[in-house]
Amino acid sequence: MKTINDFDFKDKKVLIRVDFNVPLDANFNVTDANRIEAAKPTILKVVQAGGTAILMSHLGRPKGVQDQFSLRHIVAKTEEVLGRPVIFVEDSVGSAVEAAVKNSPSGSILLLENLRFHPEEEQGSADFASKLAQWGDIYINDAFGTAHRAHASTAIIAEFFPENKAFGYLLAKEIESIHKVLNSTDKPVTAVLGGSKVSSKITIIENILDKIDHMIIGGGMTFTFIKALGGQIGSSICEDDKMELALEIMRKAKEKNVQIHLPVDVIAADAFSNDAQTKIVKVDEIPDGWQGLDVGPQTLALLKPVIKESKIILWNGPLGVFELEKFSHGTISLGNDIAEATQSGTFSLVGGGDSVAAVKQFGLESKMSYVSTGGGAMLEMLEGKTLPGIAAIENN
Ligand code: AMP
């Protein structure tokens, strides 16, 4: 399999699938350019080598052609981030693109209009993919956020470039980071699983049990386990129909020598609010009318050495309701412990929507080894699924 470093891009037209699905405000200003920043190394690699970068992306979920979802809105921000002019093309297929591609000098950057203006994109149409494929000599996929979709531009198109396809730097880095966690020979490997529900994490748990030494459970998931073990959880969030499953996970973990760390104490509140009354109680002695919304100090003290001795850490999901300041301490404290371990050589991967939001909010992003850019794609990889966008590059 070729990597992006194996190509000579000089005078080549290079189709790059990027994920420029960025948030816009009411005036169509880009409010977070992280995804554009993330694709920058790949784009610059191509144009600095004398190739033409033809960027393809989707934006939002348009129903047909809708101006509010036009990629035209992000041209100025893309130029600012890349430090180069960007030529916007009004469509992704047809004569306008043909002319623009033909007339673009080597080293230029073209941005095609939102791929999802054509329903064939999400349908994974081979015909649409072949039309897109005409524009390039080489196909690079750098869109991790859509790697779990079998869309025309993310997977199907690769068939037209059997010898001339590769991952971009971002996608390669995402894959490498997850492999590092799932196939590590460094031990111990620790997974921190928080968030609200067991049900949304169960496939991940089943897939990673064979690969980890410690599983730290936090967040709302905790209470399904505690209730299943006979504890009193007051009005904490709980999935009664998943209690048997929680016990099954504990049995399997024991069999596989995985140590499960459940909280021993919690910050209990009399309401789901920053104004709530709170008290620290044992995790299995939460009074009626109170709910556990964060882990307590004793739990954090017990987790500290586990984090410190870990060589590999995967963090998916907050330990408490971090969006409310009153219940953010556990997540911040764990984040700081992971940051410290990372500084001493531990590899830490943060992935999945809410833990990424948490590390960003608490200024910890740069202190982790890697923070994944693709929520759904990352979760599916952790579940052990083969992602169509990745398979399309890897297979011939
Ligand atoms: P998830 O999307 O499953 O990773 O869940 C993330 C959400 O779980 C966040 O919005 C947190 O506020 C929420 N959460 C974390 N801990 C708790 C808890 N103890 N009770 C209720 N919700 C929680």
Side-chain angles (χ1 to χ4, degrees):
M1 205 183 92
K2 285 184 182 162
T3 76
I4 187 170
N5 294 323
D6 297 327
F7 288 98
D8 177 6
F9 292 115
K10 179 112 189 69
D11 298 328
K12 293 282 191 292
K13 311 281 187 206
V14 186
L15 259 178
I16 311 177
R17 178 52 158 104
V18 289
D19 179 4
F20 282 0
N21 184 27
V22 291
L24 302 176
D25 66 15
N27 297 318
F28 300 108
N29 297 308
V30 176
T31 53
D32 180 349
N34 265 341
R35 287 179 166 168
I36 305 175
E37 295 275 1
K40 183 174 172 178
T42 295
I43 299 166
L44 290 189
K45 163 80 181 169
V46 169
V47 294
Q48 282 167 355
T52 300
I54 304 164
L55 310 181
M56 312 184 279
S57 180
H58 73 285
L59 177 66
R61 298 191 162 178
K63 299 206 166 28
V65 179
Q66 286 181 286
D67 184 66
Q68 71 201 92
F69 295 108
S70 172
L71 281 167
R72 170 202 321 278
H73 304 305
I74 74 156
V75 172
K77 185 49 111 185
T78 307
E79 290 185 323
E80 182 190 318
V81 171
L82 299 179
R84 289 178 175 247
V86 170
I87 302 160
F88 178 69
V89 190
E90 306 271 327
D91 203 345
S92 52
V93 290
S95 54
V97 192
E98 192 174 356
V101 170
K102 208 161 146 194
N103 298 328
S104 62
S106 294
S108 53
I109 301 171
L110 270 56
L111 173 63
L112 307 187
E113 181 56 290
N114 194 341
L115 293 159
R116 291 193 184 169
F117 282 179
H118 296 270
E120 296 91 334
E121 161 65 0
E122 287 181 89
Q123 290 159 1
S125 153
D127 182 50
F128 183 62
S130 79
K131 287 182 185 155
L132 295 171
Q134 305 173 57
W135 312 135
D137 305 306
I138 298 166
Y139 168 69
I140 303 278
N141 189 356
D142 211 19
F144 184 60
T146 47
H148 57 318
R149 308 282 183 221
H151 294 169
S153 70
T154 61
I156 314 303
I157 192 171
E159 290 166 23
F160 300 93
F161 299 89
E163 302 295 328
N164 290 319
K165 58 183 180 177
F167 296 122
Y169 288 120
L170 171 70
L171 190 34
K173 181 91 182 154
E174 294 274 1
I175 297 169
E176 182 197 313
S177 301
I178 296 173
H179 278 233
K180 212 163 174 165
V181 170
L182 296 183
N183 306 311
S184 168
T185 45
D186 278 349
K187 289 192 165 299
V189 178
T190 298
V192 181
L193 297 172
S196 53
K197 293 176 172 173
V198 184
S199 54
S200 62
K201 306 276 153 110
I202 181 64
T203 333
I204 296 179
I205 296 176
E206 281 173 347
N207 186 46
I208 63 176
L209 269 184
D210 280 325
K211 304 163 193 220
I212 61 176
D213 305 292
H214 296 279
M215 182 157 83
I216 293 174
I217 292 176
M221 267 208 294
T222 304
F223 305 103
T224 304
F225 284 85
I226 299 299
K227 189 170 175 188
L229 291 168
Q232 283 176 33
I233 61 163
S235 46
S236 305
I237 185 173
C238 180
E239 292 173 284
D240 284 344
D241 60 334
K242 296 290 176 291
M243 283 175 9
E244 190 43 50
L245 192 65
L247 295 176
E248 179 67 25
I249 292 169
M250 295 192 78
R251 272 194 296 272
K252 276 195 188 152
K254 202 164 181 195
E255 257 171 51
K256 294 174 192 286
N257 263 328
V258 177
Q259 226 179 309
I260 291 200
H261 304 266
L262 279 161
V264 292
D265 58 348
V266 291
I267 312 292
D270 62 358
F272 193 96
S273 146
N274 254 333
D275 305 323
Q277 305 254 35
T278 61
K279 57 184 175 185
I280 300 167
V281 296
K282 284 192 178 159
V283 71
D284 53 359
E285 291 179 9
I286 304 175
D288 286 347
W290 293 71
Q291 53 189 312
L293 294 182
D294 195 8
V295 294
Q298 215 188 326
T299 302
L300 289 170
L302 290 168
L303 294 183
K304 213 176 174 64
V306 179
I307 294 293
K308 196 171 178 190
E309 71 156 29
S310 299
K311 293 282 181 292
I312 305 272
I313 299 172
L314 165 70
W315 183 13
N316 170 254
L319 289 194
V321 182
F322 74 97
E323 300 93 331
L324 299 178
E325 201 256 323
K326 215 168 198 163
F327 309 106
S328 61
H329 179 68
T331 302
I332 296 175
S333 170
L334 174 93
N336 283 328
D337 289 347
I338 298 180
E340 233 171 79
T342 308
Q343 208 166 24
S344 315
T346 296
F347 179 81
S348 54
L349 169 62
V350 184
D354 273 315
S355 25
V356 174
V359 294
K360 286 186 178 170
Q361 186 176 326
F362 304 129
L364 291 165
E365 196 179 6
S366 62
K367 298 180 178 167
M368 304 289 147
S369 307
Y370 194 69
V371 179
S372 177
T373 60
M378 157 96 178
L379 298 182
E380 289 199 17
M381 273 194 92
L382 292 175
E383 288 173 357
K385 291 187 184 147
T386 305
L387 308 195
I390 294 177
I393 298 285
E394 285 175 342
N395 303 338
N396 264 324

